[in-house]
Amino acid sequence: MAADTTTYDPVTTSDLSSAYRSTHAELQAWVDEVAALTKPASITWIEGTPEEWVRLTDELVEAGTFVRLDETKKPNSFWCASDPTDVARVEDRTFICSVDETDAGPTNNWMAPAEMKKLMTELYDGSMRGRTMYVIPFVMGHLDSAHPMFGVEITDSAYVVASMTVMARVGRQVLDKIEATGASFVPALHSVGAPLEPGQADVPWPCSDTKYIVQFPEERMIWSFGSGYGGNALLGKKCYSLRIASVMGRDEGWLAEHMLILKLTSPEGDVKYVAAAFPSACGKTNLAMVEPTIEGWTVETLGDDIAWMRVGADGRLYAVNPEFGLFGVAPGTGWDTNANAMRTIAQGNSVFTNVALTDDGDIWWEGMTEDAPAHLTDWKGRDWTPESEELSSHPNSRFCTPIRQCPILAPEYDDPNGVPIDAILFGGRRKTTIPLVTEARDWTHGTFMGATLSSETTAAATGAVGVVRRDPMAMLPFIGYDAGDYFSHWISMAKNNDESKFPKVFYVNWFRRDEDGGFLWPGFGENSRVLKYVVERIEGKVDAVETPIGLVPAAGALDTDGLDVSDEQLAKALAVDVDEWKAEIPQINEWFEKFGDKLPAVLWTELDALKARLEA
Ligand code: GTP
Ligand code: MN
Ligand code: MN
């Protein structure tokens, strides 16, 4: 496949002042309609130029939303603290407003589209008063892709504009192409829901107690209200690239997944591409940039959160990362755990939200360094010392950084056709039951593994933390339609294509614990040993043994050379405990029953076969 090396380079071709009128009639009509409803003080079309970034960020500093970091430490970078109530995705306020309720399925909130539109139209009425309404033309994936995936976000938040500029390809070049080709686009409307009356002073982080994150799947449209937080407000990311795109993928025969993409090169120079789906705050960004601890193996990054996968002309599954930046969990990111993320943010051009601010104009969070600085300003703006009772940074605090700054970004990132995936990993955070690595027998079994994926909840969404829940393909909060239909779509992907060309599927768990609560597996860089095992399984170089739940490494198959883990501990990490699995069966059964007729029969067959093998 010819690599297309075209890179995205925002260039100003004309001034997009508030008087700008788009030649794209549908776009201009929508902008006019939203402006008439939300009644902003002014309109700004986003060009994506460096000058515009300076203007915007200066305004954010002026408004008290941003604090500029020290130029010598984090050039062109900003510290930002959200309202303490607006720190994560709000799953209970997220809706799939399909025409038919059944199309939202049992895992999504639903409301009739007309009812939701009526309700939200009242909320949007005048919601941008006293604010600037920004129009952000963007494309998810490459501008020169065979299927450019356009969107336009309208927002009244300059924080959202700055973040979207990092996270997606935005601006004049995109608008030019939308206008020149008359392309359709996903309209994505966002308001923080905090209008300003004349003379009313603004707050650093305007938001509303009333929040709605709404997808209209048939119309390919997004409405978001009340939150400024990334996953709720940067509408190109979860709302478009997962919820809306998953529906497009269902209709058009491709997959939009919550997956990292990495390139793994062996000492002999053989290249493999791996995609991995782990729930939020379960290790995607870490694995995407992992520094292998095994001699001669290298990892390069293609994506850390979202993969769009289409079957190529050769029958293989090709993945692209639709994003342009990294929106990574800050706490736990340090030189010991993710040095490449540290190198990426060290170059600056970043926004840090809800981390701590150091006295010398840099940022810090738990896990960045072993010792905390003697004094910090915490994410709530208070004095903080190592004696403080609360954490300095919110557990879901984030860095927002251009992916181009990642020192191990694979050159294939610039290929609009993506990379052929050799293996898909599913994984979650489970203290018990799930072994370090299990291989699926075939695609259907792999789909069963994905469909039954479970994980303990994290701070990435509001709600209780540490509760085991099913998170199918790590997509529970992101499937834009009925999850039973989604499983059928996964099954049909292999049925409608040549399964022998499809990736092998594995289930991993870095988070299994011993009796004392410690991790059985050291994780992070050592996860490269599992990647090596996966590659060697694909190449038929190492053996696996059959167990009731799938194939696990034969003795000696996992490279443990130089690994500081006792044989006993390793055995526990790899063990298939039949009793633990028997206890899992009723939970899986209950989970599958949720989907009624929509659950593909082959998944019941998989469950029955698993039950039978456990009883044998
Ligand atoms: P989202 O960006 O929210 O989708 O999450 P993510 O999957 O990218 O999560 P991320 O890589 O940021 O990991 C978040 C947490 O997992 C951090 O607290 C890490 O320290 C922890 N983590 C990542 N990899 C490992 C590992 O191999 N072992 C252990 N024990 N913890 C890990
Ligand atoms: Mn994510
Ligand atoms: Mn991440």
Side-chain angles (χ1 to χ4, degrees):
M1 179 164 308
D4 186 326
T5 51
T6 316
T7 56
Y8 178 76
D9 179 27
V11 192
T12 318
T13 52
S14 69
D15 181 32
L16 294 176
S17 68
S18 53
Y20 181 78
R21 306 289 298 170
S22 176
T23 57
H24 192 295
E26 197 189 331
L27 170 57
Q28 187 57 52
W30 179 60
V31 169
D32 288 342
E33 185 195 334
V34 170
L37 175 64
T38 60
K39 304 172 181 68
S42 63
I43 299 174
T44 296
W45 291 71
I46 292 303
E47 305 200 46
T49 59
E51 297 73 30
E52 178 185 74
W53 169 269
V54 170
R55 224 168 30 238
L56 260 170
T57 53
D58 280 352
E59 281 168 26
L60 281 157
V61 169
E62 183 72 18
T65 309
F66 276 6
V67 171
R68 182 178 292 279
L69 297 175
D70 186 287
E71 279 300 312
T72 63
K73 300 199 167 67
K74 295 283 181 299
N76 189 30
S77 295
F78 305 89
W79 177 79
C80 177
S82 79
D83 186 284
T85 63
D86 195 21
V87 293
R89 285 184 294 102
V90 282
E91 293 181 4
D92 58 332
R93 307 302 307 156
T94 301
F95 292 79
I96 300 297
C97 292
S98 45
V99 172
D100 286 328
E101 180 169 10
T102 52
D103 286 331
T107 60
N108 287 307
N109 301 310
W110 179 84
M111 198 187 287
E115 194 187 335
M116 182 61 88
K117 283 180 189 169
K118 182 166 179 288
L119 185 160
M120 289 188 77
T121 298
E122 280 166 26
L123 292 172
Y124 283 130
D125 189 358
S127 75
M128 296 190 186
R129 266 206 186 91
R131 298 192 183 279
T132 302
M133 177 178 120
Y134 301 95
V135 183
I136 317 170
F138 66 92
V139 62
M140 298 313 295
H142 296 77
L143 191 56
D144 47 5
S145 148
H147 324 262
M149 302 288 273
F150 294 114
V152 178
E153 177 161 355
I154 292 182
T155 179
D156 55 6
S157 162
Y159 169 87
V160 166
V161 177
S163 305
M164 276 293 285
T165 301
V166 174
M167 293 306 299
R169 296 157 174 93
V170 307
R172 180 74 231 196
Q173 253 189 320
V174 178
L175 182 60
D176 281 346
K177 190 143 182 187
I178 296 177
E179 291 180 341
T181 60
S184 59
F185 61 93
V186 169
L189 172 56
H190 170 255
S191 172
V192 292
L196 290 169
E197 297 312 319
Q200 183 185 344
D202 204 357
V203 293
W205 186 277
C207 62
S208 168
D209 291 339
T210 304
K211 293 179 172 58
Y212 283 96
I213 318 300
V214 179
Q215 285 69 209
F216 299 95
E218 287 90 356
E219 289 172 81
R220 317 285 201 239
M221 181 169 83
I222 303 158
W223 283 10
S224 168
F225 184 90
S227 170
Y229 171 77
N232 303 326
L234 313 180
L235 303 184
K237 193 174 176 57
K238 304 300 192 182
C239 301
Y240 184 157
S241 294
L242 290 176
R243 297 196 191 100
I244 295 293
S246 65
V247 177
M248 294 171 162
R250 175 198 64 188
D251 295 348
E252 298 165 8
W254 52 280
L255 296 168
E257 299 297 328
H258 193 202
M259 291 182 182
L260 68 90
I261 312 167
L262 64 81
K263 173 184 177 184
L264 185 65
T265 308
S266 75
E268 296 77 36
D270 294 330
V271 171
K272 291 277 184 288
Y273 299 99
V274 177
F278 310 151
S280 296
C282 292
K284 286 184 301 302
T285 300
N286 276 268
L287 189 64
M289 297 183 202
V290 74
E291 289 195 313
T293 52
I294 41 177
E295 195 58 36
W297 290 75
T298 55
V299 164
E300 290 160 87
T301 309
L302 282 124
D304 82 320
D305 199 52
I306 298 176
W308 285 350
M309 299 194 286
R310 291 173 193 268
V311 181
D314 59 1
R316 300 184 70 189
L317 203 52
Y318 282 78
V320 294
N321 170 13
E323 299 194 279
F324 203 47
L326 306 166
F327 190 69
V329 178
T333 306
W335 290 101
D336 295 342
T337 55
N338 192 350
N340 285 316
M342 296 300 286
R343 293 182 188 111
T344 307
I345 62 172
Q347 294 175 58
N349 311 308
S350 303
V351 178
F352 300 92
T353 305
N354 292 338
V355 304
L357 181 65
T358 68
D359 294 348
D360 58 357
D362 203 348
I363 36 93
W364 191 85
W365 50 68
E366 280 69 24
M368 179 190 280
T369 53
E370 203 166 311
D371 295 319
H375 179 265
L376 294 165
T377 303
D378 78 2
W379 73 281
K380 289 181 177 167
R382 303 168 304 192
D383 284 320
W384 187 94
T385 70
E387 282 72 49
S388 294
E389 304 247 303
E390 286 179 42
L391 298 173
S392 72
S393 305
H394 188 275
N396 192 40
S397 53
R398 299 267 168 169
F399 55 83
C400 178
T401 298
I403 197 167
R404 290 230 170 273
Q405 293 178 187
C406 177
I408 58 161
L409 187 69
E412 294 90 325
Y413 174 80
D414 289 318
D415 188 341
N417 296 312
V419 293
I421 297 298
D422 296 287
I424 288 175
L425 314 185
F426 290 119
R429 209 176 256 273
R430 285 295 302 269
K431 295 189 176 82
T432 66
T433 319
I434 312 294
L436 181 64
V437 55
T438 317
E439 180 183 334
R441 284 181 303 276
D442 53 30
W443 183 262
T444 303
H445 185 218
T447 302
F448 175 82
M449 284 178 169
T452 57
L453 199 158
S454 54
S455 194
E456 290 138 19
T457 50
T458 67
T462 52
V465 169
V467 180
V468 174
R469 71 171 184 185
R470 299 288 137 187
D471 192 340
M473 284 78 171
M475 282 283 284
L476 180 68
F478 308 123
I479 302 170
Y481 58 104
D482 187 299
D485 288 338
Y486 169 78
F487 301 150
S488 296
H489 181 50
W490 263 77
I491 299 286
S492 74
M493 282 298 289
K495 213 177 271 164
N496 298 340
N497 296 286
D498 178 357
E499 181 177 338
S500 71
K501 306 238 170 72
F502 266 37
K504 271 187 179 294
V505 178
F506 296 80
Y507 193 170
V508 300
N509 179 19
W510 318 140
F511 299 92
R512 206 171 186 180
R513 313 274 188 134
D514 59 22
E515 298 78 23
D516 307 327
F519 290 112
L520 286 164
W521 176 252
F524 302 102
E526 303 294 8
N527 295 337
S528 58
R529 296 173 188 275
V530 175
L531 293 177
K532 176 184 173 188
Y533 167 77
V534 162
V535 165
E536 293 185 336
R537 279 299 298 159
I538 293 169
E539 294 181 331
K541 287 186 181 159
V542 293
D543 291 329
V545 284
E546 286 271 5
T547 76
I549 63 164
L551 299 149
V552 302
L558 185 72
D559 181 351
T560 54
D561 225 28
L563 178 70
D564 186 21
V565 172
S566 72
D567 289 349
E568 193 201 346
Q569 195 175 329
L570 188 66
K572 283 185 186 165
L574 289 165
V576 178
D577 184 319
V578 170
D579 290 333
E580 282 183 343
W581 273 95
K582 280 183 180 167
E584 194 85 357
I585 297 293
Q587 297 171 34
I588 296 176
N589 209 77
E590 192 185 331
W591 167 243
F592 276 3
E593 276 172 357
K594 265 178 171 299
F595 302 101
D597 293 347
K598 294 280 186 95
L599 195 90
V602 288
L603 293 186
W604 280 119
T605 310
E606 284 290 336
L607 180 58
D608 289 341
L610 171 59
K611 244 187 281 185
R613 286 191 303 267
L614 288 169
E615 297 299 340

